[in-house]
């Protein structure tokens, strides 16, 4: 019988005395941190996460199955109401418009700004100006755009510009509310015009008095009206405001303090055709040729049409696009900054190689720049989609009470359903759950994208 010597082939391998494999030592992670210690540090965050996120979600789902009072089980009736109530359906439709338009337009503008500012010397200053609205709260932005969209052109910037452009090509009427009195030699004509009750004759002065124009609204360079002088071969007349401040004036008489209707158009009409026309001067005097003899004088409706007041930006049809415009004003700068950061990391040699190969700038942008920026564009789009789904402040502040139902979104409807005298927490909880369900697909897409990027 042979005895195995130390170190021989039959000897048992030495025991591993590494501290990491000792049964009496706590296991460590790759970084050497004990799991118990890591859990102790994570516990406060997990408690807060459960109290502020998990519990509200679970309770909202639970509460959505109960009635308004919270005492009776309602089943899925609250969810049925989401698709049967007209106000909530409008909110869902508007949210769909928001999700499609707002992130897309903001990202597109951010991409354009980021690309173009690389080519200009003052690009940094431009980026600062575009990004500056991000420093403004939603409340302040809502107040700003409530004024921008004001219907009155003297207060609303949007309508001031719109009316200015319109009046450049279509001159506004000078006397929108002017009209004759029954004792005047004028009567109502077709389509808002006024015509003389009698035909006119050469050599006989014609008086065309009107009222209904506030003296403060008269042209600034209007002069005191003059009585027309007789002219043998022509038709002469005066169109004036037959009103004397403080009283004392006589109808159909040109009194000293009464002003001429400068710029008013006068037409001579015979057999339904305009044979001559004239424009009154600052003192209201006008002259027509002898061919107007025997015609009726007409003050066309163009003199009296209401002035153009612009677009009703906050009306039922335009309130949602108008509010989306204010959102784009705020968030296009955010998109631009992120895209510009991604643009700065593109390999310049690849862009230059494409230009050397004969590609023009549009081809470089469409086939190289945009595809290489796709991950950044996805980040911007997903971030804005999540942000848009919970938009509340802008809609609540900008939309007036008369059109707030037309601009309604889910976050605003959640507030309206959950608070106030007619609050229905069952409906409000169902809307909250619906918002969560709408956010989940976007979040899953974002998580998949992040994992895909991490594997590269």
């Amino acid at each position: 019988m042979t005895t195995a010597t130390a170190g021989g082939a039959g000897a048992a391998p030495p025991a591993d005395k590494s501290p990491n494999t000792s049964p009496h030592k706590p296991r460590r992670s790759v970084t050497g941190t004990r799991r118990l210690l890591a859990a102790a540090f994570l516990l406060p965050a997990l408690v807060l996460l459960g109290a502020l996120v998990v519990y509200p979600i679970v309770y909202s789902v639970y509460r959505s199955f109960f009635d308004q009072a919270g005492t009776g089980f309602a089943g899925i009736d609250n969810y049925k109401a989401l698709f049967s109530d007209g106000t909530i359906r409008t909110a869902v439709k508007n949210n769909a418009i928001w999700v499609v338009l707002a992130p897309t337009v903001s990202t597109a503008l951010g991409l354009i700004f980021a690309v173009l500012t690389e080519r200009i010397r003052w690009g940094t200053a431009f980026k600062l100006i575009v990004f500056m609205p991000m420093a403004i709260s939603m409340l302040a932005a809502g107040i700003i755009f409530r004024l921008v969209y004001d219907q009155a052109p003297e207060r609303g910037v949007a309508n001031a510009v719109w009316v200015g452009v319109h009046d450049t090509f279509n001159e506004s009427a000078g006397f929108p509310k002017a009209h004759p009195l029954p004792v005047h030699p004028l009567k109502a004509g077709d389509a808002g015009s006024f015509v003389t009750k009698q035909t006119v004759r050469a050599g006989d002065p014609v008086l065309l008095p009107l009222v209904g124009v506030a003296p403060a609204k008269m042209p600034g360079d209007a002069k005191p009206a003059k009585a027309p002088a007789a002219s043998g071969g022509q038709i002469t007349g005066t169109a004036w405001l037959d009103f004397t401040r403080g009283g004392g004036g006589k109808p159909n008489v040109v009194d000293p303090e009464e002003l001429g209707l400068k710029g008013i158009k006068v037409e001579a009409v015979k057999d339904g055709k305009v044979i001559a026309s004239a424009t009154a001067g600052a003192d209201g005097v006008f002259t027509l040729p002898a061919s107007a003899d025997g015609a009726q004088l007409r003050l066309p409706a163009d003199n009296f049409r209401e002035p153009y007041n612009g677009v009703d930006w906050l009306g039922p049809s335009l309130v949602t696009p108008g509010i989306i415009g204010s959102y784009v004003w705020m968030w296009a700068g955010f998109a631009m900054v992120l895209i510009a950061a991604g643009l700065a990391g593109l390999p310049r040699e690849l862009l230059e190689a494409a230009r050397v190969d004969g590609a023009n700038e549009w081809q470089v942008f469409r086939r190289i720049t945009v595809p290489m920026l796709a991950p950044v564009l996805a980040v911007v789009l997903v971030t804005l989609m999540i942000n848009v789904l919970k938009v509340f402040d802008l809609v609540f502040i900008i939309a007036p009470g008369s059109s707030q139902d037309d601009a309604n979104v889910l976050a605003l409807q959640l507030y309206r359903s959950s608070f106030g005298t007619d609050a229905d927490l069952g409906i409000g909880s169902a809307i909250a759950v619906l918002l969560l369900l709408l956010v989940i697909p976007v979040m899953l897409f974002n998580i998949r994208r992040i994992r895909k990027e991490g594997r590269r």
Side-chain angles (χ1 to χ4, degrees):
M1 180 175 179
T2 58
T3 305
T5 59
D16 186 4
K17 297 183 179 181
S18 172
N20 291 334
T21 60
S22 173
H24 303 292
K25 295 285 185 177
R27 298 187 64 183
R28 297 174 180 267
S29 66
V30 176
T31 59
T33 305
R34 291 184 178 89
R35 291 183 177 180
L36 185 60
L37 183 62
F41 276 104
L42 288 175
L43 184 61
L46 292 175
V47 170
L48 286 176
L49 184 67
L52 301 179
V53 178
V54 177
Y55 172 74
I57 291 175
V58 174
Y59 183 76
S60 295
V61 174
Y62 168 80
R63 184 64 179 83
S64 68
F65 292 106
F66 286 82
D67 59 12
Q68 182 175 3
T71 56
F73 185 74
I76 61 172
D77 290 347
N78 292 327
Y79 292 95
K80 290 180 180 178
L82 299 185
F83 302 99
S84 60
D85 185 88
T87 303
I88 301 178
R89 285 206 309 269
T90 300
V92 173
K93 181 194 72 174
N94 287 339
N95 259 104
I97 295 173
W98 271 88
V99 169
V100 172
L101 285 183
T104 305
V105 175
S106 299
T107 305
L109 285 178
L111 176 62
I112 293 171
F113 290 157
V115 172
L116 293 181
T117 49
E118 279 202 332
R119 305 298 184 90
I120 55 179
R121 183 175 299 177
W122 41 272
T124 303
F126 180 82
K127 289 179 182 177
L128 178 63
I129 294 172
V130 175
F131 187 74
M132 195 175 296
M134 283 293 298
I136 302 174
S137 68
M138 286 283 196
L139 172 65
I143 294 173
I144 290 171
F145 274 87
R146 181 68 181 267
L147 295 174
V148 167
Y149 291 136
D150 197 290
Q151 180 69 27
E154 60 270 17
R155 292 194 302 270
V157 176
N159 265 341
V161 174
W162 196 269
V163 170
V165 173
H166 176 274
D167 290 350
T168 301
F169 300 98
N170 297 279
E171 187 176 356
S172 296
F175 313 101
K177 297 186 181 297
H179 60 276
L181 292 174
V183 297
H184 285 160
L186 289 166
K187 63 180 181 179
D190 297 331
S193 64
F194 299 104
V195 297
T196 55
K197 296 176 181 177
Q198 306 293 331
T199 58
V200 297
R201 296 296 175 184
D204 294 336
V206 181
L207 298 177
L208 302 179
L210 293 174
V211 295
V213 183
K217 297 292 185 180
M218 291 289 288
D221 52 352
K223 296 179 180 179
K226 291 183 179 179
S231 177
Q234 294 177 317
I235 305 294
T236 58
T238 299
W240 84 101
L241 180 63
D242 194 10
F243 172 80
T244 302
R245 286 186 177 182
K250 296 180 180 181
N252 296 327
V253 176
V254 181
D255 295 305
E257 295 183 4
E258 296 173 348
L259 299 176
L261 297 174
K262 180 188 176 182
I264 196 167
K265 187 176 181 181
V266 183
E267 297 175 340
V269 181
K270 188 180 292 186
D271 298 328
K273 295 181 180 179
V274 178
I275 58 175
S277 64
T279 301
D283 55 3
V285 176
F286 61 90
T287 303
L288 292 166
S291 59
D293 184 62
Q296 282 184 299
L297 298 191
R298 179 174 67 186
L299 300 177
D302 289 347
N303 293 311
F304 312 110
R305 69 175 183 269
E306 291 291 330
Y308 182 67
N309 288 322
V311 178
D312 187 8
W313 297 104
L314 299 181
S317 59
L318 291 178
V319 62
T320 295
I323 300 174
I324 291 176
S326 66
Y327 180 90
V328 171
W329 176 76
M330 289 191 67
W331 287 88
F334 167 81
M336 177 195 67
V337 170
L338 290 187
I339 295 171
L343 197 60
L346 295 184
R348 300 297 167 179
E349 61 273 10
L350 186 59
L351 302 178
E352 294 302 325
R355 294 186 181 100
V356 170
D357 288 342
N360 56 37
E361 292 301 321
W362 169 246
Q363 291 173 326
V364 171
F365 173 77
R366 183 168 60 90
R367 298 188 176 183
I368 298 178
T369 303
V370 172
M372 295 186 70
L373 284 175
V376 179
L377 297 177
V379 170
V380 175
L381 272 173
V382 170
T383 303
L384 293 181
M385 282 182 180
I386 296 173
N387 185 268
V388 156
L389 283 172
K390 56 185 181 180
V391 67
F392 164 80
D393 319 60
L394 289 177
V395 181
F396 183 72
I397 296 167
I398 296 178
S402 59
S403 59
Q404 197 168 87
D405 285 344
D406 299 286
N408 199 16
V409 291
L410 285 174
L412 177 59
Q413 185 59 39
L414 171 61
Y415 168 79
R416 295 167 70 178
S417 298
S418 302
F419 301 96
T421 55
D422 297 328
D424 188 337
L425 292 181
I427 295 291
S429 299
I431 295 174
V433 174
L434 176 61
L435 272 174
L436 176 64
L437 294 177
L438 292 175
V439 170
I440 286 176
V442 183
M443 294 293 296
L444 292 177
F445 171 79
N446 204 23
I447 293 172
R448 289 184 59 188
R449 183 194 57 78
I450 292 174
R451 289 179 176 176
K452 187 177 179 180
E453 289 294 322
R455 289 195 296 265
R456 289 182 179 180

